Amino acid sequence: MKKKGFVRTVFVERPSLNDNTADAQRLEKSLMDELGADQILIPLHVLKHLPSNLRSWGFQAKAVLFKNRHSWILLDLLNPGYDNPVLGTAIDIGTTRIVMSLIDLETGQQIGEQGFDNPQAGIGPDVLARIHYANQPGGLDELNRLVIETVNHNIAALCEENGCSKEDVYLVTGAGNTAMTHLFLGIESFEIIKEPYIPCVNIPDTQSAGNLKLDINDRGAAFLFPNIGSYFGGDLIAGILYSELDKKEEPCLMVDVGTNAEIVVGNRDWLIACAGAAGPALEGGVSKMGMTAKPGVIDRVWIDPDSSDLKIHTIEDQKPIGICGSGMIDLAASLFLSKRIDIRGKFSKQVCGDRLFEREGIMAFVLVDESHSGTGKPICLSQVDLNSLTSSKAAMYTILEVIVKNTAGLEFEELQKFYVAGTFGSFINPVSAISIGMLPDIPISTFEVLGNSSLGGAKVLLQDPDAFERIMIIRQSITYIELNVNQEFMNMFSGAKFYPHTDASRFPSLKNKI
Amino acid sequence: MKKKGFVRTVFVERPSLNDNTADAQRLEKSLMDELGADQILIPLHVLKHLPSNLRSWGFQAKAVLFKNRHSWILLDLLNPGYDNPVLGTAIDIGTTRIVMSLIDLETGQQIGEQGFDNPQAGIGPDVLARIHYANQPGGLDELNRLVIETVNHNIAALCEENGCSKEDVYLVTGAGNTAMTHLFLGIESFEIIKEPYIPCVNIPDTQSAGNLKLDINDRGAAFLFPNIGSYFGGDLIAGILYSELDKKEEPCLMVDVGTNAEIVVGNRDWLIACAGAAGPALEGGVSKMGMTAKPGVIDRVWIDPDSSDLKIHTIEDQKPIGICGSGMIDLAASLFLSKRIDIRGKFSKQVCGDRLFEREGIMAFVLVDESHSGTGKPICLSQVDLNSLTSSKAAMYTILEVIVKNTAGLEFEELQKFYVAGTFGSFINPVSAISIGMLPDIPISTFEVLGNSSLGGAKVLLQDPDAFERIMIIRQSITYIELNVNQEFMNMFSGAKFYPHTDASRFPSLKNKI
């Protein structure tokens, strides 16, 4: 049976001398029966012409619904024969990039998708800069206006491209980090970055579209995913919803490698979360490795089995111009497995041979020489780059170890699924990541790429009314732990800086490769 | 201890590294603790500057609150030192006249009161005419605009007269009959007067002031009292609230003598209601008797104990120009007790003597001769007028008998209180009304005049948050009975057309008077 969504056909009992209940109360009863709800809000605009509408529609109607924290909400009541589309827009409100998806609320089908840069980036590239700006006179309004206007513009364009109208859009669901959520709502955000790091709101309730100046159907509503705290936002809740971690019997893990590495482990009974932006070891994080993916960027590296030479693949098969994060991890794995770097992450002169050169006292490995490079210059990996990658991979492994082993008390092997979310995560080759000791050595089939799980979660909410309660339950049941960068952490981190680890027994699959 | 109202001072827990809950959630918790509530809606406008407000206010605030059907609502959060008045306006939305009262929500004190004609009367004098008008194109909007604009104008004037501002008004509570309630909300009302007599809405939920175009504080809200059905409106629920019928241990009765005679009998365990506008015998009702009270109108009549002459009192002691309803009842009682009319309600030529004359075959009694009249013409009561009064008093007694004895199964003597509400009812002398058999012969101390109980109920809601639930419970617990004008009713009615009744034993207090 098809899951029922936010658009329903309702049949209202006809009145009689024996049943002279008011029209609104009979509509309310029909809706509550249909929804299995005990509360529903019917807006005044629906009441105004309800008597004549119900009678001319033969006591049937198409109801467009949504929810708030406590109740169902009737957004609009339409002619049962109404055949314009009834749409929703799911939005991933990323700090850098915003992606939106247009969903038909009656069928649950996606109609279109569109990404664009977050216009707030012009004011500040990161959360910190924007929050500071928002704290200046007029700054908050400006940042809010920027994102809302751009979203409005893109909703209109996305609708037009797909032969529908912005007035067809009744619902907006948005997921972003805590700061982006505050700025989207036009709420002061300064306390988020000031000790003791207090968001203004953790559970923003459903708002009318007009309240947020969203230019959709004027009876529409918008909901932003709740956050757990300043450093664990609605985008992560959306990710959990999308991965269905909250429905699993066995423990699973989700890691979202964005600006920070955020990790959630758990199942239907418990959820533990941790955001990895703590301590200098993790600054920059794994996502800062390499350059942004574009044509000519090296995204894959492997060892030719015959020649032991390193082979590369570039995006759109253009001449190489640089290397991106996933390419870096492949490269490090290839260098390590071919013994070009040792277990300490240092280049081996002996194995690298003439591929290695020294410049200003720093060793560098030439991956592509200038004759094959798209830039006219060789593409190299210096010992400094490599050290940075080593720190990043060690940080990732250590955080995973802290949350899975020390906090949840599990072995990595007990994880039934290991979800990798976020744009960067989508391209990592888990075999390479395991080879360098960045990810734990568990079966490859355990890993699953989620893609944009923030957008995915926002879409799920448009498609499935039950998701609303799941979101609230997820939010309430998560135990959020602060990463405590103490001596024990630093000891674990030191071990993880080796290739693959000081304790090589943790990586049995590498036994025959190294 | 003073009852707590809709304005409260709240203390919000300060955040710390050990308690990094969001500001909004901490405010929510403080409010829920203060109110003993499990749901509260916090609007976006409060969130926008909540972090800086809380910090500059030392984590204290003055909260302006209200309720809807399911939840408390925070309307606004003010500086704890805010010392402008925070006001509410209670409105009796009468068909003919609208009366409003300005209440200080912090002290519960009334600041001012103001009455004015319902401007819809220019379109149609009664409910029926207005509903027909509302069913024509543009008619509903026009009627709605008329009442809202006049209410806005009068709120502003009432505020100004009392040295405050319309922006100080956060709440509007209104009680009216079902049709007036629909027109105030701008909701189609045509089905109310068409079989099977269906209101659009019985429980209109709390609305934002802006939604109703009420020109008060733009964060304000409005609530209209719910109705039971097309013929039992929010004004009656307000009356029950005001009389506290729903809190009584012993059965009490309230009768509201307006356009119809509406009656409620019951106590804290049960309530039975009946609206008396049924059947030709009751058409016009008791309120149609006599003329509107104004200077020169005879409002009291009594028998001079020495001369047995009839004595009169006029409003403002002007020369008499006519007689109003309460005067008519006094007059009929005086005529009956002085035997000028007999038990059938016919003039006695023998007793009336030269005060009686015949014109066009109809007998008439001269109360004031032309030399003493303010109009230059004698003021008379014809047999036709008297017959009409006889029918009205018989109808009133019969309805009371039906609801108290036949429906509730009580004797009149079991009523602990007999509340008389409505403008007309306020002036009736119960001794006179008993003398003619209009009201039952129970101790005079049982009768209590309520005055404008519709306005009274609307005021109670501004003063006491518990009233909101009482209203919903009253609405839900009332058993509304349709007056069935069958043979049994007509037999009872025939008996009641005698003076005081065919069964004189029902009126023992008259024994020594007649």
Side-chain angles (χ1 to χ4, degrees):
Chain A
M1 203 182 74
K2 200 183 142 291
K3 197 129 197 171
K4 284 179 164 185
F6 284 118
V7 182
R8 310 275 180 113
T9 298
V10 286
F11 301 86
V12 177
E13 200 86 33
R14 282 172 191 270
S16 68
L17 279 172
N18 295 322
D19 172 16
N20 60 3
T21 319
D23 286 339
Q25 271 62 52
R26 279 178 296 115
L27 172 64
E28 189 176 282
K29 186 179 177 302
S30 296
L31 287 169
M32 293 201 301
D33 288 351
E34 165 70 26
L35 303 169
D38 57 359
Q39 288 187 18
I40 178 147
L41 299 175
I42 300 181
L44 188 61
H45 69 78
V46 166
L47 294 181
K48 288 197 170 182
H49 301 287
L50 183 65
S52 59
N53 281 342
L54 280 183
R55 283 157 187 83
S56 72
W57 298 342
F59 287 88
Q60 278 184 47
K62 189 181 277 194
V64 184
L65 299 145
F66 195 58
K67 290 182 175 183
N68 68 19
R69 278 171 72 189
H70 302 299
S71 169
W72 282 80
I73 313 170
L74 178 64
L75 299 179
D76 207 356
L77 198 70
L78 305 168
N79 190 320
Y82 184 89
D83 62 1
N84 282 13
V86 179
L87 307 176
T89 306
I91 312 183
D92 165 36
I93 312 164
T95 308
T96 309
R97 206 160 161 77
I98 296 174
V99 189
M100 54 169 63
S101 170
L102 197 62
I103 303 285
D104 184 315
L105 295 176
E106 291 186 87
T107 63
Q109 296 299 303
Q110 174 159 320
I111 291 177
E113 193 168 300
Q114 186 153 313
F116 48 95
D117 291 337
N118 188 329
Q120 297 171 340
I123 282 176
D126 54 29
V127 163
L128 215 64
R130 290 183 214 173
I131 289 181
H132 276 288
Y133 190 86
N135 203 35
Q136 291 165 18
L140 175 60
D141 285 348
E142 187 183 344
L143 285 162
N144 175 252
R145 202 179 57 245
L146 274 172
V147 65
I148 296 294
E149 281 178 0
T150 312
V151 162
N152 283 339
H153 171 81
N154 279 277
I155 288 178
L158 188 56
C159 286
E160 203 173 312
E161 276 165 32
N162 291 284
C164 39
S165 144
K166 63 186 183 184
E167 278 77 28
D168 298 333
V169 178
Y170 276 89
L171 278 181
V172 167
T173 54
N177 64 40
T178 303
M180 290 307 108
T181 301
H182 279 60
L183 296 177
F184 196 96
L185 293 167
I187 293 176
E188 286 179 6
S189 48
F190 193 62
E191 299 298 325
I192 291 178
I193 57 164
K194 235 180 73 186
E195 203 179 281
Y197 314 110
I198 305 295
C200 172
V201 63
N202 276 337
I203 316 171
D205 211 343
T206 302
Q207 302 290 336
S208 71
N211 232 1
L212 298 184
K213 297 200 167 59
L214 284 170
D215 188 16
I216 58 172
N217 188 295
D218 60 9
R219 296 168 174 198
F223 177 79
L224 293 203
F225 276 67
N227 40 263
I228 307 286
S230 289
Y231 295 109
F232 196 98
D235 47 352
L236 273 294
I237 305 268
I240 297 169
L241 185 78
Y242 183 61
S243 70
E244 302 194 332
L245 228 60
D246 62 316
K247 289 181 166 183
K248 305 291 182 189
E249 210 163 323
E250 300 295 328
C252 295
L253 182 145
M254 180 181 74
V255 53
D256 188 329
V257 191
T259 308
N260 306 323
E262 285 127 344
I263 296 167
V264 187
V265 62
N267 61 17
R268 61 185 183 193
D269 299 318
W270 55 273
L271 291 165
I272 295 172
C274 149
L282 309 181
E283 248 165 43
V286 282
S287 70
K288 287 280 169 68
M289 296 188 303
M291 61 195 291
T292 307
K294 60 184 171 189
V297 166
I298 300 165
D299 60 348
R300 282 192 278 134
V301 180
W302 67 98
I303 305 166
D304 184 274
D306 301 325
S307 66
S308 287
D309 279 354
L310 298 189
K311 297 285 183 188
I312 62 165
H313 174 263
T314 64
I315 295 172
E316 295 184 14
D317 294 313
Q318 305 282 301
K319 269 191 147 180
I321 57 168
I323 186 162
C324 70
S326 62
M328 288 275 270
I329 291 168
D330 275 2
L331 174 57
S334 302
L335 291 170
F336 172 59
L337 294 179
S338 63
K339 299 193 167 28
R340 287 180 173 93
I341 60 176
D342 61 22
I343 58 164
R344 298 167 306 147
K346 302 295 169 198
F347 288 112
S348 157
K349 283 184 192 174
Q350 197 182 340
V351 186
C352 292
D354 58 3
R355 284 297 192 96
L356 208 62
F357 70 100
E358 191 177 328
R359 192 168 50 188
E360 295 170 17
I362 295 163
M363 302 304 291
F365 179 85
V366 181
L367 179 60
V368 180
D369 63 30
E370 56 193 58
S371 64
H372 294 92
S373 163
T375 64
K377 291 178 184 169
I379 297 170
C380 304
L381 181 75
S382 74
Q383 186 66 53
V384 174
D385 297 335
L386 183 59
N387 290 351
S388 159
L389 185 145
T390 304
S391 278
S392 291
K393 77 101 183 168
M396 172 63 90
Y397 184 85
T398 309
I399 302 171
L400 289 169
E401 195 179 354
V402 167
I403 190 166
V404 174
K405 300 173 87 165
N406 297 24
T407 310
L410 295 173
E411 294 302 323
F412 286 128
E413 290 71 21
E414 292 179 73
L415 297 173
Q416 193 195 33
K417 278 286 170 195
F418 191 116
Y419 296 103
V420 183
T423 319
F424 175 74
S426 302
F427 299 101
I428 292 176
N429 178 349
V431 177
S432 298
I434 293 170
S435 298
I436 62 170
M438 182 182 188
L439 295 182
D441 192 4
I442 53 179
I444 294 302
S445 62
T446 312
F447 292 94
E448 197 171 313
V449 165
L450 288 181
N452 189 338
S453 60
S454 171
L455 181 65
K459 283 195 235 179
V460 168
L461 178 56
L462 291 178
Q463 292 157 332
D464 177 9
D466 293 342
F468 199 96
E469 276 71 48
R470 280 177 59 207
I471 290 167
M472 295 302 161
I473 292 169
I474 290 168
R475 204 209 81 84
Q476 204 173 11
S477 60
I478 284 187
T479 305
Y480 177 71
I481 59 157
E482 298 277 343
L483 203 61
N484 192 2
V485 183
N486 53 17
Q487 192 53 52
E488 191 195 355
F489 181 92
M490 291 314 291
N491 292 344
M492 289 162 71
F493 181 59
S494 294
K497 281 170 97 171
F498 280 73
Y499 282 74
H501 195 277
T502 44
D503 177 8
S505 72
R506 297 182 182 200
F507 291 84
S509 74
L510 301 186
K511 218 175 189 175
N512 302 323
K513 297 185 186 170
I514 50 178
Chain B
M1 203 182 75
K2 202 185 140 289
K3 197 128 198 174
K4 283 180 165 186
F6 284 119
V7 182
R8 310 274 181 113
T9 298
V10 286
F11 301 86
V12 177
E13 199 87 33
R14 282 172 192 270
S16 68
L17 279 170
N18 295 323
D19 172 16
N20 60 3
T21 319
D23 286 337
Q25 271 61 53
R26 279 178 298 114
L27 171 64
E28 190 175 283
K29 186 178 176 303
S30 295
L31 287 169
M32 293 201 301
D33 288 351
E34 166 70 25
L35 303 169
D38 58 359
Q39 287 188 19
I40 179 147
L41 300 174
I42 299 180
L44 187 61
H45 69 79
V46 167
L47 295 181
K48 287 195 170 182
H49 301 287
L50 183 64
S52 57
N53 282 341
L54 279 183
R55 283 156 187 83
S56 71
W57 297 343
F59 287 88
Q60 278 184 47
K62 189 181 278 193
V64 184
L65 299 145
F66 196 58
K67 290 183 175 182
N68 68 19
R69 278 171 71 189
H70 302 300
S71 169
W72 282 80
I73 313 170
L74 178 64
L75 298 179
D76 207 356
L77 199 70
L78 304 169
N79 190 319
Y82 183 88
D83 62 1
N84 282 14
V86 179
L87 307 176
T89 306
I91 313 183
D92 165 36
I93 313 164
T95 308
T96 308
R97 205 158 163 77
I98 296 175
V99 188
M100 56 170 61
S101 170
L102 197 62
I103 303 283
D104 184 314
L105 294 176
E106 291 186 87
T107 63
Q109 297 299 305
Q110 174 159 320
I111 291 177
E113 192 168 302
Q114 185 154 314
F116 48 93
D117 291 337
N118 187 328
Q120 297 171 340
I123 282 176
D126 55 28
V127 162
L128 214 65
R130 290 182 215 172
I131 289 181
H132 276 287
Y133 189 86
N135 202 36
Q136 291 164 19
L140 175 60
D141 285 348
E142 188 183 344
L143 284 163
N144 175 252
R145 203 178 56 245
L146 274 173
V147 65
I148 297 294
E149 281 178 0
T150 312
V151 161
N152 283 340
H153 172 80
N154 280 277
I155 289 178
L158 188 55
C159 286
E160 205 173 311
E161 276 166 34
N162 292 284
C164 40
S165 145
K166 63 186 183 183
E167 278 76 29
D168 298 333
V169 178
Y170 276 89
L171 278 181
V172 167
T173 54
N177 65 42
T178 304
M180 289 308 107
T181 301
H182 278 61
L183 295 178
F184 196 95
L185 293 166
I187 294 175
E188 287 179 6
S189 50
F190 194 61
E191 300 297 325
I192 291 177
I193 56 163
K194 237 178 72 184
E195 201 179 286
Y197 313 110
I198 304 295
C200 171
V201 63
N202 276 338
I203 316 172
D205 211 342
T206 302
Q207 302 291 335
S208 70
N211 233 1
L212 298 184
K213 297 199 168 57
L214 284 170
D215 188 16
I216 58 171
N217 189 295
D218 60 8
R219 295 168 176 197
F223 176 78
L224 293 203
F225 276 67
N227 41 262
I228 308 285
S230 290
Y231 295 109
F232 196 99
D235 47 352
L236 274 294
I237 306 267
I240 298 169
L241 185 76
Y242 183 61
S243 69
E244 303 195 332
L245 228 61
D246 62 314
K247 289 181 166 184
K248 306 289 181 189
E249 210 163 322
E250 300 295 327
C252 296
L253 182 145
M254 181 182 73
V255 53
D256 189 330
V257 190
T259 309
N260 305 324
E262 286 128 341
I263 296 168
V264 187
V265 61
N267 61 17
R268 62 185 183 194
D269 299 318
W270 56 273
L271 291 165
I272 296 173
C274 149
L282 309 183
E283 248 165 42
V286 280
S287 70
K288 286 281 168 69
M289 298 187 303
M291 61 195 290
T292 307
K294 60 184 169 188
V297 164
I298 300 166
D299 61 347
R300 281 192 279 134
V301 180
W302 66 97
I303 304 167
D304 182 275
D306 301 323
S307 66
S308 286
D309 279 355
L310 298 188
K311 297 285 181 187
I312 62 165
H313 174 264
T314 64
I315 295 172
E316 295 186 12
D317 295 313
Q318 305 281 302
K319 269 191 147 183
I321 57 167
I323 186 162
C324 71
S326 62
M328 289 275 272
I329 291 168
D330 274 0
L331 175 58
S334 301
L335 292 171
F336 172 59
L337 294 178
S338 62
K339 297 193 169 23
R340 287 179 173 95
I341 60 176
D342 62 20
I343 59 165
R344 298 166 307 147
K346 302 298 169 197
F347 287 113
S348 156
K349 283 183 190 171
Q350 197 183 338
V351 184
C352 291
D354 58 2
R355 284 297 191 95
L356 207 62
F357 71 99
E358 190 179 329
R359 191 169 51 190
E360 294 170 19
I362 295 163
M363 302 305 291
F365 180 86
V366 181
L367 178 60
V368 178
D369 63 31
E370 57 194 59
S371 66
H372 294 92
S373 162
T375 64
K377 291 177 185 172
I379 297 169
C380 305
L381 180 77
S382 74
Q383 185 65 54
V384 173
D385 297 335
L386 183 58
N387 291 351
S388 158
L389 185 147
T390 303
S391 279
S392 291
K393 77 100 185 170
M396 173 59 92
Y397 185 84
T398 309
I399 301 171
L400 289 169
E401 195 179 354
V402 166
I403 190 166
V404 175
K405 301 172 87 167
N406 297 25
T407 311
L410 296 173
E411 294 303 321
F412 286 128
E413 289 71 22
E414 293 178 73
L415 297 173
Q416 194 196 33
K417 278 285 170 194
F418 191 115
Y419 296 104
V420 183
T423 318
F424 175 72
S426 301
F427 299 101
I428 293 177
N429 177 349
V431 177
S432 298
I434 292 171
S435 298
I436 62 171
M438 183 181 185
L439 294 181
D441 192 5
I442 54 177
I444 293 303
S445 63
T446 312
F447 292 95
E448 196 171 315
V449 165
L450 288 180
N452 189 337
S453 60
S454 171
L455 181 64
K459 282 195 238 180
V460 168
L461 178 56
L462 290 178
Q463 292 158 331
D464 176 10
D466 293 342
F468 199 96
E469 277 70 48
R470 280 177 60 206
I471 290 167
M472 295 303 162
I473 292 168
I474 290 168
R475 205 209 81 83
Q476 203 174 12
S477 60
I478 285 188
T479 306
Y480 178 70
I481 59 157
E482 297 276 342
L483 201 61
N484 193 2
V485 183
N486 53 16
Q487 191 53 51
E488 190 194 356
F489 182 91
M490 291 314 291
N491 291 344
M492 289 161 71
F493 181 59
S494 295
K497 280 169 97 175
F498 280 73
Y499 282 74
H501 195 276
T502 44
D503 176 8
S505 73
R506 298 183 182 199
F507 291 84
S509 75
L510 301 186
K511 219 176 189 177
N512 301 323
K513 296 185 187 174
I514 48 177

